[in-house]
Amino acid sequence: MTHRSVPVARSRRLAPVAVAALLAAFVVPVLAAEPANAATPLRTLAAAKNKFIGFAAATGPLANESAYRTIAQTEFSQITPENAMKWDSTEPSDNQYNFSGADQIVTFAAANNQVVHGHTLVWHSQTPSWVQSLSASAMRTAMNDHIATVVGHFASNPVVQSWDVVNEVFDENGGYRSSFWYNTLGSGFIADAFRAARAADADAKLCINDYNVEGINAKSTAMYNLVNTLKGQGVPIDCVGLQTHLSTQYGFPGDMQQNIARFAALGVTVRITELDIRIPTPRTAAKDATQAQYYTNVVNACLAVSACTGITIWGFTDKYSWVPDTFPSEGAALIYDENYQVKPSYTAVNTALGGSPNNDTTAPSAPSNLAASGTTSTSTTLSWTASTDNVGVTGYDILRAPGTSGGTFAVVGSSTTTSFTNTGLTAATSYRYQVRAKDAAGNTSAVSNTVTVTTSGGTGDTTAPSAPSNLAASGTTASGTSLSWTGSTDNVGVTGYDILRAPGTSGGTFAVVGTSTTTSYADSGLSAATSYRYQVRAKDAAGNVSAVSNTVTVTTLSGGGTGGCSVTATVQTSWGNGYVMDPVTVKNTGTSSITGWTVTFTLPAGHTISGSWNGTVTVSGQNVTVKPVGWNSTVAPGASVAFGFQVSRPNGDTSTASGFACTTP
Ligand code: G2I
């Protein structure tokens, strides 16, 4: 059977559904025609745009959780096995194949009219050690056998339509990754793998897949050049996968659409293969909004180029995501939360695909079990059981009325979690609280039960806060340092911290040098190349003072020397009408740390910058100025940081940017 038969089979299966929907429109009274849940499934919207929308499936929840299965089949038209088709799953020992997880996913997809993208045949990760230590000829044989058997297992199944043949073969600078594949077989393993996959399945679409290749940069340009070369050599390569593991802290790759378009111009299709957008946890409404905008941008970039065939989200629920395991303080990268409730990022994807989930008029359920705890003379902490909603709860209003009866409830705060601490209360006073939920469309729920709180007397407290702990220093310069610590707890609430400092590494006296109402403090005006010791202690409203924290010793950097910098620019790769300069290395040539640097250079006439990374670029005529992006601003004496950029130039012009100079503030 060929893969081409699938769209035919699918449209045959869909036809009766469309007819039923049409009939329903005639028999249902007009006012009730719009269902309460106005969110059209993503797969319906994507199909209307001629794109697939998929997710990476984990075998455990797919087998065991009905909430997971329901979303998987309702919202998505495509599945990529997150781990089940990797080498360590399919061939853990030489010639011992196991397709249990892979078959489970393909069976689920077939039952739900979905297609499967195989991931991944040749990768340096999740490949058993027996493969990694083979000789060159044995490794080549093992690779060809593996591809023939795994691709062959699904070749006659129309559900499995495409494969990631090679995965992550480049390093960040656009060189080949120094993997055991490359180190043993040279770069020829890539073409060999594609030929073996084509031999095993004449119809499957064969892809190369990588991360950090969403925008135009040195790595995506290397991928572009390789695809171009392979096509020229007649190697069977059909598609490029942009993994798209983004983080809101690094900015959105604004040239993503342009990058997709340049691959399309090579005659390959492009897939967004592993989309997730992580944020620093915990979630807030503002971070959710930024993330939603990134999801919108990715969908729009794919919609804008017809050769972009669709988008696979790497999971769909924050309950199962690789992100927190790899980036411990980041996560919440997906479009459903841990409780399978849609997030603003879901609404963003749905809207970008042409849906109108915000036409929703269904209010969330009322929050329940509102309770107060930890009440002091000035504050109380509320918690409640979450509401549910058809398009997702976006937050809660907290309402308060004075006294134990009468008066009016007014909003005193909001929360995106199911708890809230209300501060600034008056001692020995009663208040009533309620909460209500809101959804993305602005619908508001009924209020929860009412809870009455009476603050404590506010006098006579003699309990000191606990001592602050984990005091640590960071970002030390020649004249300053930043302290942070774990907060204290207290029966009536911590009001602030004293910061104490003693001279030298021992002896002397600790004296208060500042105060903070947060758990951090920046000390400045220090002497260069000098040691200091710090401690912090907590205070409460009644004036009780805690024991001091641990002591941290800080030695400032040597100063008084000269700060200075040099710049060295390298042409990494060039082609007929463009080139990449990377790395452009900025070195601190002075004897003290520098904060900030400015590189200037000149572009020949007709040259324009088409992409850059790790630098903030401003262009005036042919004069270019580059400053740090933030993290690469401070450079220690003798150390270096680097940035890179890509230039478009007239065909046949072989000149490159020149006149590089570096200055420090
Ligand atoms: O790292 C993110 C992705 C980058 N591109 C290639 C993808 O294949 C990769 O996916 C992740 C999976 O999301 C993780 O689930 O690949 C990881 C492995 O490199 C997967 O993690 C593995 C854990 O490392 C194993 O300990 C665990 O047994 O998942 C396995 C199954 O849960």
Side-chain angles (χ1 to χ4, degrees):
M1 199 185 292
T2 72
H3 296 126
R4 269 183 291 276
S5 66
V6 164
V8 177
R10 198 174 338 141
S11 57
R12 261 193 216 125
R13 237 170 297 172
L14 276 185
V17 177
V19 170
L22 227 77
L23 288 176
F26 285 109
V27 297
V28 173
V30 173
L31 279 178
E34 198 59 31
N37 179 358
T40 306
L42 301 178
R43 64 184 293 176
T44 310
L45 298 167
K49 304 271 186 195
N50 210 15
K51 311 282 179 191
F52 68 79
I53 182 81
F55 74 103
T59 50
L62 195 68
N64 301 324
E65 284 187 54
S66 65
Y68 185 98
R69 266 199 305 277
T70 300
I71 294 171
Q73 62 205 18
T74 307
E75 296 286 341
F76 299 103
S77 57
Q78 181 273 337
I79 305 183
T80 301
E82 186 174 2
N83 288 297
M85 286 188 180
K86 290 173 179 173
W87 194 311
D88 63 355
S89 297
T90 52
E91 192 189 2
S93 331
D94 193 3
N95 212 26
Q96 304 287 304
Y97 287 91
N98 179 346
F99 291 108
S100 56
D103 288 344
Q104 176 204 335
I105 290 171
V106 172
T107 302
F108 180 90
N112 293 295
N113 193 22
Q114 295 163 319
V115 295
V116 167
H117 176 70
H119 171 83
T120 178
L121 297 168
V122 181
W123 189 25
H124 60 275
S125 183
Q126 283 179 289
T127 303
S129 52
W130 67 264
V131 184
Q132 305 189 22
S133 50
L134 295 174
S135 69
S137 70
M139 190 181 290
R140 194 173 294 113
T141 303
M143 183 185 87
N144 287 330
D145 287 353
H146 181 80
I147 293 173
T149 307
V150 175
V151 176
H153 181 78
F154 298 103
S156 63
N157 189 331
V159 168
V160 181
Q161 301 208 328
S162 52
W163 285 95
D164 286 330
V165 177
V166 298
N167 195 38
E168 302 173 3
V169 298
F170 293 108
D171 67 26
E172 296 306 294
N173 296 322
Y176 284 113
R177 179 189 291 274
S178 157
S179 68
F180 67 88
W181 292 113
Y182 178 77
N183 293 339
T184 311
L185 298 175
S187 63
F189 81 89
I190 298 170
D192 288 348
F194 277 95
R195 291 193 180 100
R198 173 61 77 240
D201 186 338
D203 301 307
K205 299 295 179 207
L206 305 179
C207 311
I208 183 170
N209 188 46
D210 217 321
Y211 59 89
N212 287 351
V213 292
E214 294 71 38
I216 294 181
N217 56 38
K219 191 173 183 181
S220 65
T221 298
M223 191 161 173
Y224 175 88
N225 290 337
L226 175 63
V227 173
N228 195 17
T229 304
L230 293 174
K231 295 281 285 180
Q233 294 168 343
V235 175
I237 179 166
D238 306 305
C239 44
V240 164
L242 312 182
Q243 292 185 6
T244 320
H245 294 292
L246 300 181
S247 163
T248 57
Q249 36 181 343
Y250 302 128
F252 188 81
D255 48 10
M256 185 168 187
Q257 179 186 324
Q258 195 190 337
N259 190 38
I260 294 173
R262 71 169 175 162
F263 278 106
L266 293 177
V268 288
T269 60
V270 177
R271 314 169 63 98
I272 310 301
T273 49
E274 304 183 13
L275 175 62
D276 51 26
I277 298 164
R278 55 189 191 271
I279 58 174
T281 44
R283 287 171 64 192
T284 64
K287 292 185 225 174
D288 275 5
T290 304
Q291 177 187 56
Q293 184 61 53
Y294 277 48
Y295 269 99
T296 300
N297 295 349
V298 172
V299 175
N300 285 344
C302 183
L303 288 178
V305 184
S306 59
C308 182
T309 50
I311 298 171
T312 309
I313 299 173
W314 205 239
F316 56 83
T317 164
D318 290 337
K319 187 172 182 183
Y320 303 110
S321 167
W322 68 289
V323 172
D325 292 340
T326 305
F327 302 99
S329 57
E330 295 177 80
L334 295 166
I335 61 173
Y336 288 81
D337 71 11
E338 299 85 347
N339 300 313
Y340 296 107
Q341 296 293 308
V342 296
K343 294 164 59 181
S345 47
Y346 171 91
T347 306
V349 173
N350 191 294
T351 305
L353 288 173
S356 31
N358 287 345
N359 287 349
D360 166 54
T361 55
T362 304
S365 66
S368 56
N369 299 320
L370 177 65
S373 65
T375 304
T376 67
S377 62
T378 58
S379 75
T380 188
T381 296
L382 303 168
S383 58
W384 57 92
T385 301
S387 301
T388 57
D389 184 70
N390 60 323
V391 301
V393 172
T394 53
Y396 297 88
D397 288 331
I398 290 79
L399 300 109
R400 191 180 72 198
T404 55
S405 66
T408 320
F409 279 91
V411 175
V412 292
S414 65
S415 171
T416 55
T417 68
T418 54
S419 67
F420 179 79
T421 299
N422 192 205
T423 56
L425 303 179
T426 306
T429 305
S430 294
Y431 300 90
R432 279 162 301 146
Y433 289 94
Q434 298 172 335
V435 291
R436 65 183 181 209
K438 296 172 296 188
D439 71 13
N443 299 301
T444 303
S445 76
V447 295
S448 68
N449 60 304
T450 303
V451 67
T452 303
V453 168
T454 303
T455 53
S456 57
T459 52
D461 169 47
T462 56
T463 306
S466 65
S469 57
N470 299 321
L471 177 64
S474 65
T476 303
T477 65
S479 63
T481 190
S482 293
L483 302 171
S484 61
W485 56 91
T486 302
S488 301
T489 55
D490 184 69
N491 61 326
V492 299
V494 172
T495 53
Y497 296 90
D498 288 332
I499 290 79
L500 301 109
R501 191 178 72 199
T505 55
S506 65
T509 319
F510 280 91
V512 174
V513 292
T515 59
S516 170
T517 55
T518 67
T519 55
S520 65
Y521 180 81
D523 197 21
S524 58
L526 303 179
S527 304
T530 305
S531 296
Y532 299 90
R533 280 162 299 147
Y534 289 93
Q535 298 171 335
V536 290
R537 67 184 180 208
K539 295 173 296 191
D540 70 13
N544 299 302
V545 176
S546 77
V548 294
S549 68
N550 60 303
T551 303
V552 66
T553 303
V554 168
T555 304
T556 53
L557 300 181
S558 57
T562 53
C565 61
S566 67
V567 54
T568 317
T570 311
V571 177
Q572 183 200 66
T573 170
S574 64
W575 56 98
N577 58 353
Y579 56 94
V580 167
M581 297 197 83
D582 186 51
V584 183
T585 304
V586 175
K587 180 171 180 171
N588 179 352
T589 53
T591 51
S592 67
S593 180
I594 59 173
T595 303
W597 43 264
T598 304
V599 168
T600 54
F601 58 91
T602 309
L603 290 170
H607 289 217
T608 53
I609 299 225
S610 53
S612 66
W613 46 99
N614 301 338
T616 306
V617 175
T618 42
V619 180
S620 168
Q622 296 308 109
N623 297 324
V624 184
T625 304
V626 184
K627 290 177 180 295
V629 282
W631 60 265
N632 58 3
S633 174
T634 300
V635 190
S640 300
V641 294
F643 65 89
F645 60 91
Q646 175 167 321
V647 179
S648 300
R649 64 183 172 193
N651 244 325
D653 181 349
T654 56
S655 64
T656 56
S658 63
F660 285 83
C662 183
T663 54
T664 53

